[in-house]
Amino acid sequence: MAMHRTKNQAGQRPAGLVSIVAAIVTLAVMALSAPASALSPDDAKCLSCHQTAGMEKPLANGESLSLHIAGDKFAGSVHGMFGCAACHSDIDVAKHPGDAKPIASKRAFSIGRAQVCATCHTDQATQWSHGVHAALVRDGNPIAPVCTSCHSPHAVMKGAAQAMETVPCKTCHSDIFDAYATSIHGTLRAAGITQAPLCYSCHGAHDIKVPTAGAGLKDTCFGCHKDAVVKHQIWLPNTQLHFTVISCPACHSPTAHRKVDLMLRNSETKEDAVRPIGVPEFQGSPDGAAGDKGLDPATLFTLMQTLNRTGVKNKTSIKGMLEVSSGVEAHKIAAASEAIKNCATCHKAGSAAFQSVTISVAGSGGVPVHYGITKDVLHSAFSIPSIGGFYAMGATRITLLDVLLVLGLLVGIGIPALHLTIRWLASRPTDKSGPAKPDSADQDKKEG
């Protein structure tokens, strides 16, 4: 028997070991496929109260903070496996609820809880701190998003930001999302083409940026449309110049209203300049409406002279850009076949795109802030030092520039023509023999 057991141990797996391995595998599978409602005893104890519908806490400012938590959603969330104590380590269960902790407001509570998120999500918290949302929070914006604004802490689902149905951006930017949903980008995404951009594709996930700031929207578009320049060079003259002064949606959102935006920029850093301090035209609330309101050509000239006075190191320049009138219109991107390709849309006198003009500076996080300015700045001699580089033949017809252009053409053509005329006159053949002398017969007759 002993020899038999030894042979069996050497050549076969004991039945007991097989059972143990099978049990371990079964437990692992059960753990992976555990129902969403599975909660630890400690978490179940917390939810015995917090799962009560309508549970809330009155705050110092009169608001009410909801304390209700849906247990099934929490169990199925990415945080469910860590349990309540992972984020609420400051709670002493033995004394809870105990003395009520004062909370100033729901906003203050959200900002405070975001610090807890950063203890695990350090990279995302750092990225967020460099984005436009963080800049708005630092400026005291009462609705600027923090972690819990986009990620419900008790129901965080992995991949929610990558689906049109659950993307959190549309909670605040519903009008923009609706415009995106009807665009070629949204249509492709809804059809299951995951390569088509969603919010985070252009704006980032946590380090939310403003594509229209700095270098402009085209660099964001080129991230996917890498062959855009080559394709446009086939039919569009001065392609690089067009990409410099025209934003992509100005042509690819054909139903949008277009305008000219004059952006104040730092000539050294090439970054958008902030609002000038002490300039009356920039002291009030921004008014993006153009027409007869806002700065006139003479005021703009004086403003630029003041900003670039002697002794100022970083000079201010103006970059003109033809773009759509709103962020909603910027997201109504149509199919390439519907894009504007008719040159007369811009290059004709009285073009609609040049009837609306704004001047902009950089606000919180680089968000452009637009102020009113009259459309006369596109046609005035006062504007030549400021926007001389933004000149569209047939549209921004600055009379003095037209006169100088005509004079240049006349001089360019007239001087060579005069030179050729002089050379032609100088090269004509002349009779060097002098006047003809009378013959002798004629001379005899005259003497007789």
Side-chain angles (χ1 to χ4, degrees):
M1 292 293 295
M3 290 181 64
H4 178 73
R5 285 196 300 270
T6 301
K7 183 178 180 180
N8 186 39
Q9 290 171 357
Q12 299 179 12
R13 293 178 181 175
L17 179 60
V18 173
S19 300
I20 293 173
V21 172
I24 292 174
V25 171
T26 301
L27 290 173
V29 171
M30 290 176 62
L32 292 174
S33 60
S37 58
L39 292 168
S40 71
D42 289 338
D43 294 339
K45 185 177 181 180
C46 295
L47 288 169
S48 64
C49 290
H50 286 280
Q51 203 164 213
T52 304
M55 188 178 186
E56 59 185 22
K57 174 184 177 68
L59 305 184
N61 66 344
E63 295 178 323
S64 294
L65 178 65
S66 175
L67 301 179
H68 171 255
I69 298 170
D72 55 343
K73 290 185 178 180
F74 172 66
S77 74
V78 297
H79 289 160
M81 61 184 296
F82 300 107
C84 305
C87 297
H88 298 281
S89 58
D90 57 326
I91 301 296
D92 185 347
V93 178
K95 299 179 180 179
H96 187 68
D99 295 334
K101 295 182 179 180
I103 299 176
S105 65
K106 293 170 65 174
R107 178 65 173 175
F109 180 76
S110 296
I111 293 176
R113 297 309 298 175
Q115 301 303 314
V116 178
C117 303
T119 59
C120 292
H121 305 285
T122 53
D123 290 343
Q124 290 84 349
T126 300
Q127 293 169 7
W128 177 85
S129 67
H130 296 154
V132 62
H133 288 164
L136 293 171
V137 170
R138 288 191 291 268
D139 283 354
N141 188 302
I143 61 173
V146 295
C147 304
T148 54
S149 304
C150 301
H151 306 284
S152 176
H154 300 101
V156 178
M157 304 302 294
K158 186 173 180 60
Q162 300 176 14
M164 290 184 66
E165 297 77 12
T166 54
V167 63
C169 309
K170 63 181 180 181
T171 302
C172 295
H173 304 285
S174 58
D175 53 348
I176 288 179
F177 182 82
D178 290 343
Y180 158 82
T182 60
S183 73
I184 184 63
H185 291 159
T187 302
L188 291 174
R189 189 83 185 194
I193 309 299
T194 55
Q195 293 85 352
L198 193 53
C199 308
Y200 66 90
S201 306
C202 302
H203 297 275
H206 294 93
D207 55 336
I208 305 299
K209 57 183 178 292
V210 184
T212 54
L217 181 61
K218 65 168 185 164
D219 288 350
T220 300
C221 298
F222 286 176
C224 293
H225 302 281
K226 301 182 185 300
D227 58 349
V229 174
V230 174
K231 287 186 174 181
H232 282 78
Q233 284 176 336
I234 297 174
W235 64 273
L236 181 63
N238 296 320
T239 303
Q240 291 292 354
L241 178 60
H242 280 87
F243 276 128
T244 300
V245 298
I246 302 176
S247 70
C248 300
C251 295
H252 290 272
S253 296
T255 62
H257 295 86
R258 282 160 285 278
K259 69 172 184 177
V260 175
D261 185 43
L262 306 177
M263 299 172 285
L264 293 182
R265 309 193 78 193
N266 185 309
S267 297
E268 300 295 328
T269 64
K270 304 302 180 183
E271 295 179 351
D272 295 349
V274 298
R275 179 174 59 86
I277 302 299
V279 179
E281 287 77 14
F282 291 91
Q283 295 307 305
S285 300
D287 180 9
D292 297 328
K293 303 171 64 177
L295 283 71
D296 56 33
T299 305
L300 177 62
F301 177 82
T302 303
L303 170 64
M304 297 304 296
Q305 295 298 312
T306 302
L307 295 177
N308 296 322
R309 61 189 179 278
T310 303
V312 174
K313 293 183 179 180
N314 294 328
K315 304 296 184 181
T316 300
S317 61
I318 289 181
K319 177 185 177 182
M321 197 80 178
L322 184 65
E323 58 183 33
V324 295
S325 298
S326 69
V328 172
E329 293 179 324
H331 290 79
K332 293 182 178 179
I333 303 298
S337 59
E338 300 177 27
I340 295 174
K341 294 183 179 180
N342 184 359
C343 299
T345 303
C346 295
H347 296 282
K348 66 178 180 180
S351 170
F354 294 86
Q355 302 308 304
S356 298
V357 187
T358 57
I359 187 168
S360 66
V361 293
S364 297
V367 178
V369 181
H370 302 276
Y371 293 84
I373 187 169
T374 66
K375 64 181 182 180
D376 294 338
V377 297
L378 301 179
H379 312 277
S380 172
F382 279 108
S383 304
I384 293 178
S386 303
I387 62 169
F390 186 77
Y391 181 75
M393 181 63 70
T396 57
R397 301 195 63 84
I398 299 177
T399 304
L400 181 57
L401 287 181
D402 290 342
V403 171
L404 292 177
L405 178 62
V406 172
L407 288 177
L409 291 174
L410 291 177
V411 171
I413 297 174
I415 290 181
L418 179 62
H419 178 68
L420 291 174
T421 301
I422 293 175
R423 288 190 60 183
W424 177 75
L425 292 174
S427 63
R428 291 183 62 190
T430 57
D431 187 356
K432 298 181 179 180
S433 61
K437 293 181 179 181
D439 56 24
S440 56
D442 292 339
Q443 186 65 26
D444 292 340
K445 289 180 181 180
K446 180 184 273 188
E447 292 178 354

